[in-house]
PDB file of all heavy atoms in Angstrom:
ATOM      1  N   ALA A 600      73.158   3.728 -21.955  1.00  0.00           N
ATOM      2  CA  ALA A 600      73.610   4.470 -20.781  1.00  0.00           C
ATOM      3  C   ALA A 600      72.515   4.508 -19.675  1.00  0.00           C
ATOM      4  O   ALA A 600      72.845   4.601 -18.555  1.00  0.00           O
ATOM      5  CB  ALA A 600      74.077   5.821 -21.171  1.00  0.00           C
ATOM      6  N   SER A 601      71.248   4.400 -20.089  1.00  0.00           N
ATOM      7  CA  SER A 601      70.112   4.531 -19.145  1.00  0.00           C
ATOM      8  C   SER A 601      69.648   3.114 -18.656  1.00  0.00           C
ATOM      9  O   SER A 601      68.778   3.040 -17.789  1.00  0.00           O
ATOM     10  CB  SER A 601      68.954   5.250 -19.804  1.00  0.00           C
ATOM     11  OG  SER A 601      68.385   4.460 -20.816  1.00  0.00           O
ATOM     12  N   GLU A 602      70.297   2.067 -19.251  1.00  0.00           N
ATOM     13  CA  GLU A 602      69.878   0.679 -18.936  1.00  0.00           C
ATOM     14  C   GLU A 602      68.369   0.378 -19.192  1.00  0.00           C
ATOM     15  O   GLU A 602      67.760  -0.386 -18.574  1.00  0.00           O
ATOM     16  CB  GLU A 602      70.107   0.385 -17.433  1.00  0.00           C
ATOM     17  CG  GLU A 602      71.624   0.580 -17.011  1.00  0.00           C
ATOM     18  CD  GLU A 602      72.520  -0.551 -17.610  1.00  0.00           C
ATOM     19  OE1 GLU A 602      71.953  -1.594 -18.024  1.00  0.00           O
ATOM     20  OE2 GLU A 602      73.744  -0.403 -17.624  1.00  0.00           O
ATOM     21  N   ARG A 603      67.915   1.144 -20.247  1.00  0.00           N
ATOM     22  CA  ARG A 603      66.451   0.943 -20.622  1.00  0.00           C
ATOM     23  C   ARG A 603      66.318   0.410 -22.046  1.00  0.00           C
ATOM     24  O   ARG A 603      65.177   0.555 -22.548  1.00  0.00           O
ATOM     25  CB  ARG A 603      65.719   2.201 -20.368  1.00  0.00           C
ATOM     26  CG  ARG A 603      65.677   2.644 -18.928  1.00  0.00           C
ATOM     27  CD  ARG A 603      65.046   4.023 -18.732  1.00  0.00           C
ATOM     28  NE  ARG A 603      63.607   4.036 -19.102  1.00  0.00           N
ATOM     29  CZ  ARG A 603      62.620   3.692 -18.285  1.00  0.00           C
ATOM     30  NH1 ARG A 603      62.874   3.282 -17.058  1.00  0.00           N
ATOM     31  NH2 ARG A 603      61.350   3.695 -18.661  1.00  0.00           N
ATOM     32  N   ALA A 604      67.353   0.040 -22.682  1.00  0.00           N
ATOM     33  CA  ALA A 604      67.263  -0.463 -24.115  1.00  0.00           C
ATOM     34  C   ALA A 604      66.324  -1.689 -24.210  1.00  0.00           C
ATOM     35  O   ALA A 604      66.230  -2.521 -23.261  1.00  0.00           O
ATOM     36  CB  ALA A 604      68.589  -0.837 -24.652  1.00  0.00           C
ATOM     37  N   THR A 605      65.618  -1.806 -25.280  1.00  0.00           N
ATOM     38  CA  THR A 605      64.687  -2.912 -25.475  1.00  0.00           C
ATOM     39  C   THR A 605      65.297  -4.123 -26.129  1.00  0.00           C
ATOM     40  O   THR A 605      64.700  -5.206 -26.096  1.00  0.00           O
ATOM     41  CB  THR A 605      63.548  -2.412 -26.412  1.00  0.00           C
ATOM     42  OG1 THR A 605      64.078  -2.020 -27.654  1.00  0.00           O
ATOM     43  CG2 THR A 605      62.793  -1.233 -25.775  1.00  0.00           C
ATOM     44  N   THR A 606      66.531  -3.995 -26.653  1.00  0.00           N
ATOM     45  CA  THR A 606      67.169  -5.138 -27.247  1.00  0.00           C
ATOM     46  C   THR A 606      67.779  -6.107 -26.178  1.00  0.00           C
ATOM     47  O   THR A 606      68.184  -5.617 -25.119  1.00  0.00           O
ATOM     48  CB  THR A 606      68.216  -4.700 -28.244  1.00  0.00           C
ATOM     49  OG1 THR A 606      69.146  -3.831 -27.569  1.00  0.00           O
ATOM     50  CG2 THR A 606      67.696  -3.933 -29.434  1.00  0.00           C
ATOM     51  N   ARG A 607      67.820  -7.335 -26.503  1.00  0.00           N
ATOM     52  CA  ARG A 607      68.452  -8.306 -25.570  1.00  0.00           C
ATOM     53  C   ARG A 607      69.915  -8.062 -25.495  1.00  0.00           C
ATOM     54  O   ARG A 607      70.552  -7.915 -26.522  1.00  0.00           O
ATOM     55  CB  ARG A 607      68.182  -9.735 -26.075  1.00  0.00           C
ATOM     56  CG  ARG A 607      68.536 -10.831 -25.118  1.00  0.00           C
ATOM     57  CD  ARG A 607      68.513 -12.221 -25.807  1.00  0.00           C
ATOM     58  NE  ARG A 607      67.351 -12.530 -26.589  1.00  0.00           N
ATOM     59  CZ  ARG A 607      66.271 -13.108 -26.048  1.00  0.00           C
ATOM     60  NH1 ARG A 607      66.222 -13.447 -24.749  1.00  0.00           N
ATOM     61  NH2 ARG A 607      65.284 -13.359 -26.791  1.00  0.00           N
ATOM     62  N   ASP A 608      70.440  -7.990 -24.293  1.00  0.00           N
ATOM     63  CA  ASP A 608      71.860  -7.785 -24.103  1.00  0.00           C
ATOM     64  C   ASP A 608      72.570  -9.089 -23.886  1.00  0.00           C
ATOM     65  O   ASP A 608      72.493  -9.699 -22.793  1.00  0.00           O
ATOM     66  CB  ASP A 608      72.068  -6.819 -22.870  1.00  0.00           C
ATOM     67  CG  ASP A 608      73.590  -6.371 -22.747  1.00  0.00           C
ATOM     68  OD1 ASP A 608      74.420  -6.853 -23.519  1.00  0.00           O
ATOM     69  OD2 ASP A 608      73.825  -5.511 -21.920  1.00  0.00           O
ATOM     70  N   PHE A 609      73.223  -9.619 -24.899  1.00  0.00           N
ATOM     71  CA  PHE A 609      73.906 -10.867 -24.801  1.00  0.00           C
ATOM     72  C   PHE A 609      75.130 -10.849 -23.960  1.00  0.00           C
ATOM     73  O   PHE A 609      75.647 -11.912 -23.618  1.00  0.00           O
ATOM     74  CB  PHE A 609      74.282 -11.352 -26.231  1.00  0.00           C
ATOM     75  CG  PHE A 609      73.101 -12.004 -26.970  1.00  0.00           C
ATOM     76  CD1 PHE A 609      72.236 -11.194 -27.697  1.00  0.00           C
ATOM     77  CD2 PHE A 609      72.862 -13.343 -26.921  1.00  0.00           C
ATOM     78  CE1 PHE A 609      71.146 -11.721 -28.377  1.00  0.00           C
ATOM     79  CE2 PHE A 609      71.774 -13.893 -27.621  1.00  0.00           C
ATOM     80  CZ  PHE A 609      70.919 -13.096 -28.349  1.00  0.00           C
ATOM     81  N   ALA A 610      75.576  -9.689 -23.518  1.00  0.00           N
ATOM     82  CA  ALA A 610      76.610  -9.609 -22.584  1.00  0.00           C
ATOM     83  C   ALA A 610      76.190  -9.795 -21.142  1.00  0.00           C
ATOM     84  O   ALA A 610      76.965  -9.856 -20.183  1.00  0.00           O
ATOM     85  CB  ALA A 610      77.456  -8.317 -22.717  1.00  0.00           C
ATOM     86  N   ASN A 611      74.789  -9.833 -20.967  1.00  0.00           N
ATOM     87  CA  ASN A 611      74.233  -9.986 -19.639  1.00  0.00           C
ATOM     88  C   ASN A 611      74.737  -8.752 -18.776  1.00  0.00           C
ATOM     89  O   ASN A 611      74.713  -7.658 -19.231  1.00  0.00           O
ATOM     90  CB  ASN A 611      74.495 -11.302 -18.984  1.00  0.00           C
ATOM     91  CG  ASN A 611      73.684 -12.386 -19.715  1.00  0.00           C
ATOM     92  OD1 ASN A 611      72.514 -12.320 -19.885  1.00  0.00           O
ATOM     93  ND2 ASN A 611      74.402 -13.412 -20.099  1.00  0.00           N
ATOM     94  N   THR A 612      75.204  -9.051 -17.646  1.00  0.00           N
ATOM     95  CA  THR A 612      75.752  -7.956 -16.757  1.00  0.00           C
ATOM     96  C   THR A 612      77.239  -7.883 -16.875  1.00  0.00           C
ATOM     97  O   THR A 612      77.895  -7.130 -16.120  1.00  0.00           O
ATOM     98  CB  THR A 612      75.365  -8.226 -15.304  1.00  0.00           C
ATOM     99  OG1 THR A 612      75.827  -9.442 -14.889  1.00  0.00           O
ATOM    100  CG2 THR A 612      73.805  -8.103 -15.084  1.00  0.00           C
ATOM    101  N   GLY A 613      77.825  -8.692 -17.784  1.00  0.00           N
ATOM    102  CA  GLY A 613      79.311  -8.701 -17.893  1.00  0.00           C
ATOM    103  C   GLY A 613      79.835  -7.400 -18.542  1.00  0.00           C
ATOM    104  O   GLY A 613      79.111  -6.711 -19.196  1.00  0.00           O
ATOM    105  N   VAL A 614      81.097  -7.190 -18.345  1.00  0.00           N
ATOM    106  CA  VAL A 614      81.746  -6.001 -18.887  1.00  0.00           C
ATOM    107  C   VAL A 614      82.667  -6.455 -20.012  1.00  0.00           C
ATOM    108  O   VAL A 614      83.518  -7.287 -19.842  1.00  0.00           O
ATOM    109  CB  VAL A 614      82.524  -5.222 -17.820  1.00  0.00           C
ATOM    110  CG1 VAL A 614      83.256  -4.094 -18.457  1.00  0.00           C
ATOM    111  CG2 VAL A 614      81.622  -4.778 -16.661  1.00  0.00           C
ATOM    112  N   LEU A 615      82.490  -5.849 -21.201  1.00  0.00           N
ATOM    113  CA  LEU A 615      83.343  -6.163 -22.289  1.00  0.00           C
ATOM    114  C   LEU A 615      84.303  -4.964 -22.513  1.00  0.00           C
ATOM    115  O   LEU A 615      83.833  -3.802 -22.603  1.00  0.00           O
ATOM    116  CB  LEU A 615      82.509  -6.342 -23.634  1.00  0.00           C
ATOM    117  CG  LEU A 615      81.686  -7.588 -23.664  1.00  0.00           C
ATOM    118  CD1 LEU A 615      80.904  -7.668 -24.955  1.00  0.00           C
ATOM    119  CD2 LEU A 615      82.507  -8.863 -23.489  1.00  0.00           C
ATOM    120  N   PRO A 616      85.603  -5.220 -22.477  1.00  0.00           N
ATOM    121  CA  PRO A 616      86.545  -4.083 -22.705  1.00  0.00           C
ATOM    122  C   PRO A 616      86.243  -3.283 -23.967  1.00  0.00           C
ATOM    123  O   PRO A 616      86.069  -3.898 -24.999  1.00  0.00           O
ATOM    124  CB  PRO A 616      87.863  -4.766 -22.738  1.00  0.00           C
ATOM    125  CG  PRO A 616      87.682  -6.125 -22.067  1.00  0.00           C
ATOM    126  CD  PRO A 616      86.255  -6.537 -22.375  1.00  0.00           C
ATOM    127  N   GLY A 617      86.165  -1.984 -23.795  1.00  0.00           N
ATOM    128  CA  GLY A 617      85.996  -1.145 -24.940  1.00  0.00           C
ATOM    129  C   GLY A 617      84.549  -0.991 -25.396  1.00  0.00           C
ATOM    130  O   GLY A 617      84.280  -0.228 -26.344  1.00  0.00           O
TER     131      GLY A 617
END
Side-chain angles (χ1 to χ4, degrees):
S601 69
E602 300 290 342
R603 296 173 66 85
T605 62
T606 54
R607 191 193 308 270
D608 190 353
F609 280 85
N611 291 308
T612 58
V614 177
L615 292 179

